[in-house]
Each structure stands twice: as C-alpha cells, then as structure tokens.
C-alpha cells in the first residue's frame, strides 16, 4: 500500500495541495499567486526538492505534566483504506513553524482542542521521509520530506476534521506497542516511540 505524508488542509480554500501548495491563495496563474504550482510543477518540485513538514503527537497530561494519554488519528486514504497516523502537514511559504504547527493541530483536532505550544517550539527529532523504503525508518512514496516532530499537550475537546475520522486516546504503552506500529503509516510508530521517550513517558 502506498504510504503518504498527509498534506495540509485539503478542503480549505486556497490550501489544496495540488492547486496552491505554497498556501499563497489566489487562482491558478493569477497575479495574487505568482508562486502557484500546477500538478505537474508540484510533482517536479517534489522530485527535486525536500518538502518541509511539521508533525505533532497530541497528548494529555496530569497536573505534574506527566503524559497520561496519546491521541492517535484514524484516517481514510484516497483508496478507501483505514490507517493510523498523527497530526501532520506542510509548512506554507512565509509561515513560521509555530503557526504551521498550530494550524495543523486545529485542522485535525478541531478549534476546541486548545493545544499548548511551548514558548520556543523545539522538535524532539527531525524525521526524514524518503520515497525509497529502507533509507530511513520513515517512508513517503511521493517525495523526500523533512519533518519537525513535536509532542504537544492538548487541554480541550478534540473533534477531528478534514480527513481525520476520529482520535483514539491510548495509554503511552499502548501507543508505543508493536501492534499499533503495524497500523501506522510511513513508519510513524517509530516517531511515536521517540516522542514518548523524549518526554519520559516510556518505562
């Protein structure tokens, strides 16, 4: 099964991954969007350039800041297959990492998720997705993608939107299990283990 890194906001006006990959808005070829790429140009850019992503593992914490639950998304692929994943999407042209992270958390988890971003967002790792399996632990059949990965506490109510069908809250040990890793796309089971280890949630 082809494994893909989710693109940002596929249903948001001006942010369709094939019509406006740089997130500048405007119609194809319009003066308001000089950096617009056609499907062919986007495919060519992906063939020649690494694409920058942010990814977030949503968690719930207790009063001491200890991770008690991990939020795993259920998505439907374009082929109608069900897969598990985390919050993920591209960084727009001119957008800060903080803004991109918040945007994708809100898009996938809903506006009432209330994520708590740190004063200085620093990823727990940089994941490199390659189109050829085996180069790294992460794979995306379309492109070479470089992803900044974060563990982000959320304090509100999560109501998945876009192509995320639901959020399943699991204990850290279950989220890091081999059984769940087998359901995760692109090698993200490894990413979840790295993220939970970075915050001391694995024993």
């Amino acid at each position: 099964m082809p494994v893909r890194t989710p693109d940002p906001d596929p249903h948001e006006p001006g942010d369709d991954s094939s019509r406006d990959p740089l997130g500048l808005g405007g119609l194809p070829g319009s003066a308001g969007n000089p950096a617009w790429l056609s499907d062919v140009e986007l495919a060519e850019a992906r063939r020649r350039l690494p694409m920058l992503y942010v990814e977030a593992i949503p968690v719930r914490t207790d009063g001491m800041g200890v991770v008690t639950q991990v939020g795993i998304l259920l998505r439907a692929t374009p082929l109608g297959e069900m897969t598990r994943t985390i919050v993920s999407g591209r960084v727009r042209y001119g957008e800060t990492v903080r803004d991109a992270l918040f945007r994708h958390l809100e898009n996938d988890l809903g506006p009432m998720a209330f994520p708590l971003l740190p004063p200085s967002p620093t990823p727990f790792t940089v994941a490199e997705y390659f189109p050829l399996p085996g180069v790294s632990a992460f794979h995306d059949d379309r492109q070479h993608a470089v992803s900044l990965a974060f563990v982000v506490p959320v304090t509100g109510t999560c109501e998945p939107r876009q192509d995320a069908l639901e959020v399943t809250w699991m204990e850290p040990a279950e989220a890091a299990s081999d059984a769940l890793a087998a359901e995760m796309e692109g090698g993200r089971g490894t990413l979840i283990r790295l993220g939970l280890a970075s915050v001391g949630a694995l024993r």
Side-chain angles (χ1 to χ4, degrees):
M1 178 185 74
V3 176
R4 297 177 180 273
T5 303
D7 284 317
D9 318 337
H11 307 297
E12 181 179 295
D15 197 24
D16 185 282
S17 61
S18 63
R19 296 176 61 82
D20 186 19
L22 298 182
L24 298 178
L27 298 173
S30 69
N33 187 9
W36 174 81
L37 299 177
S38 68
D39 289 348
V40 173
E41 290 168 331
L42 176 58
E44 182 67 11
R46 280 179 161 151
R47 190 175 72 84
R48 294 174 176 268
L49 300 169
M51 308 297 281
L52 179 61
Y53 281 74
V54 291
E55 294 188 282
I57 302 171
V59 299
R60 295 200 185 280
T61 61
D62 62 17
M64 296 294 290
V66 175
V67 172
T68 57
Q69 292 182 307
V70 181
I72 305 297
L73 297 177
L74 179 67
R75 291 188 195 271
T77 70
L79 299 177
E81 298 166 319
M82 308 303 289
T83 185
R84 296 284 186 177
T85 190
I86 57 176
V87 174
S88 177
R90 288 203 306 269
V91 179
R92 290 173 172 171
Y93 179 82
E95 184 178 42
T96 66
V97 168
R98 174 188 294 278
D99 288 344
L101 192 57
F102 186 86
R103 175 169 60 87
H104 288 299
L105 284 160
E106 185 175 81
N107 285 339
D108 280 350
L109 304 179
M112 304 302 291
F114 301 136
L116 299 177
L117 300 185
S120 178
T122 302
F124 65 82
T125 194
V126 176
E128 294 183 272
Y129 291 82
F130 290 92
L132 295 176
V135 178
S136 78
F138 310 104
H139 172 240
D140 184 329
D141 65 327
R142 301 168 302 168
Q143 62 188 347
H144 174 195
V146 176
S147 176
L148 309 179
F150 302 82
V151 176
V152 180
V154 295
T155 60
T157 302
C158 295
E159 298 179 354
R161 305 190 302 170
Q162 308 293 347
D163 59 344
L165 303 178
E166 70 177 29
V167 180
T168 304
W169 292 98
M170 304 178 178
E171 293 184 356
E174 183 182 2
S177 68
D178 291 340
L180 182 67
E183 299 180 29
M184 301 293 291
E185 61 180 10
R188 286 186 176 84
T190 298
L191 199 62
I192 289 174
R193 289 169 179 160
L194 289 172
L196 293 178
S198 75
V199 295
L202 294 183
R203 292 178 172 80

